[in-house]
Amino acid sequence: MKPTAVVALGGNALLRRGDAPSFDNQLANIKIAAKAIAEIAKEYQVAIVHGNGPQVGLLALQNLAYDKVSPYPLDVLGAESEGMIGYMLAQELQNLLPDTEVASLLTRIEVNADDPSMLDPTKFVGPVYNEDEAGVLAEANNWIMKRDGEYVRRVVPSPKPINIVDKKSIDTLLNAGQIVICCGGGGIPVCRGEFGYQGVEGVIDKDLSATLLAKQLKADKLLILTDADAVYLDWGTEKQRALRATTPAQLSEHQFPAGSMGPKVEAAADFAQFGGRAYIGALEEGLEVLAERAGTCVAV
């Protein structure tokens, strides 16, 4: 039986930073992702988790354009983005691997309704803006904006995932030999209420959900693919340097941006401490990263 790899695709890898959020741009990047994952799937049983920051932010903007109804909550927009990206990924993977079944599963993930992030949003969503644009949008829509590199973006609550509600379905599909696209956008955030599960206004970080999935599946490897080719120290300075092989203890000595590389490093370190091997690298180099010829490897 093939070893299991959980592959996490960043929303910014599927829609590059600064690109217009068009269907054509997303499809072009999804074709690149599908090609990389198809190669991985020849050697591994694959579960794919994808981000949705740019996509769910675009849906939120489109949501505001029709003002005759109240805006849909973020959990519903997250489900919409999960269906959209899951469909596009499944179709491209099936085209590349016609003899392999590919399933895209809407996935609910339990969070705490009183998670601290509800009061301190850090998750970037939507397109990038300059300072003037961001100020106008923040005032008009009561949004919280934070700096993302040289740009400014909207931030929303990002509660931590604590349980994958649909994990048994994922298990069933993987055991049937299918490639499974799940926990999209970090999963649909839900919490337990008086009458069962109910949606939560937030967007779960997909890297943390990917780690939770990898641990619950007892996967062999966790691969986080993004628009950066590795984890860097002193990023953006003359001293910047890539980490190629590191440990959770070494990573804990450094600070990484909370809205971008921070969750990826946290997720990789968490899975490494669990006993697996975690990798962070560029979308186009997926198999090379797993083979430890590119990217960053995190292991105890």
Side-chain angles (χ1 to χ4, degrees):
M1 189 172 180
K2 294 179 181 177
T4 301
V6 172
V7 178
L9 294 170
N12 287 323
L14 299 176
L15 186 61
R16 300 304 175 101
R17 200 179 304 271
D19 280 358
S22 68
F23 170 79
D24 288 339
N25 282 340
Q26 292 189 75
L27 182 59
N29 287 314
I30 280 175
K31 285 179 180 290
I32 294 170
K35 185 176 179 181
I37 294 169
E39 290 301 310
I40 294 169
K42 293 175 183 178
E43 299 182 19
Y44 293 87
Q45 184 66 57
V46 176
I48 304 166
V49 179
H50 62 77
N52 70 342
Q55 294 82 3
V56 77
L58 173 62
L59 288 173
L61 286 169
Q62 293 172 333
N63 199 26
L64 292 172
Y66 187 76
D67 59 6
K68 292 182 171 54
V69 296
S70 299
Y72 281 27
L74 278 172
D75 59 302
V76 175
L77 298 182
E80 289 182 19
S81 70
E82 189 174 358
M84 172 182 68
I85 297 169
Y87 152 67
M88 294 170 75
L89 269 172
Q91 182 153 276
E92 293 307 316
L93 281 167
Q94 193 85 74
N95 289 340
L96 291 168
L97 300 168
D99 296 327
T100 302
E101 293 296 319
V102 183
S104 182
L105 179 70
L106 287 175
T107 312
R108 295 163 297 161
I109 294 188
E110 186 178 353
V111 301
N112 286 321
D114 57 355
D115 188 282
S117 75
M118 305 307 288
L119 298 176
D120 182 23
T122 59
K123 177 65 176 172
F124 290 115
V125 300
V128 297
Y129 304 103
N130 62 38
E131 293 278 0
D132 292 339
E133 291 171 328
V136 171
L137 286 167
E139 184 173 353
N141 301 309
N142 196 29
W143 286 353
I144 298 174
M145 313 292 275
K146 291 185 179 179
R147 184 161 292 282
D148 182 13
E150 62 182 296
Y151 301 104
V152 179
R153 293 175 73 189
R154 181 189 177 191
V155 289
V156 300
S158 183
K160 288 194 174 182
I162 58 176
N163 181 50
I164 299 171
V165 178
D166 300 298
K167 191 255 182 183
K168 286 185 179 179
S169 297
I170 298 169
D171 267 334
T172 299
L173 292 166
L174 283 173
N175 289 335
Q178 299 196 29
I179 296 174
V180 184
I181 304 164
C182 55
C183 305
I188 304 162
V190 299
C191 67
R192 293 181 185 270
E194 183 180 356
F195 302 105
Y197 288 112
Q198 60 187 40
V200 172
E201 183 80 2
V203 176
I204 304 171
D205 186 273
K206 68 98 184 38
D207 298 310
L208 302 185
S209 292
T211 301
L212 179 61
L213 177 65
K215 290 163 71 173
Q216 291 193 349
L217 292 176
K218 296 181 174 59
D220 300 279
K221 295 186 177 183
L222 170 65
L223 174 61
I224 299 173
L225 297 176
T226 183
D227 56 354
D229 65 346
V231 177
Y232 283 81
L233 297 181
D234 300 318
W235 173 255
T237 72
E238 293 180 355
K239 297 180 180 179
Q240 76 176 38
R241 58 203 182 278
L243 289 174
R244 296 301 177 188
T246 187
T247 67
Q250 290 168 341
L251 288 172
S252 69
E253 297 173 0
H254 305 279
Q255 294 259 335
F256 299 92
S260 52
M261 189 55 74
K264 296 172 179 56
V265 168
E266 180 183 349
D270 186 10
F271 186 63
Q273 289 173 325
F274 183 73
R277 295 181 77 81
Y279 304 84
I280 300 173
L283 176 62
E284 301 89 342
E285 299 179 314
L287 203 54
E288 291 293 296
V289 175
L290 276 178
E292 301 182 20
R293 293 189 290 267
T296 299
C297 174
V298 185
V300 175

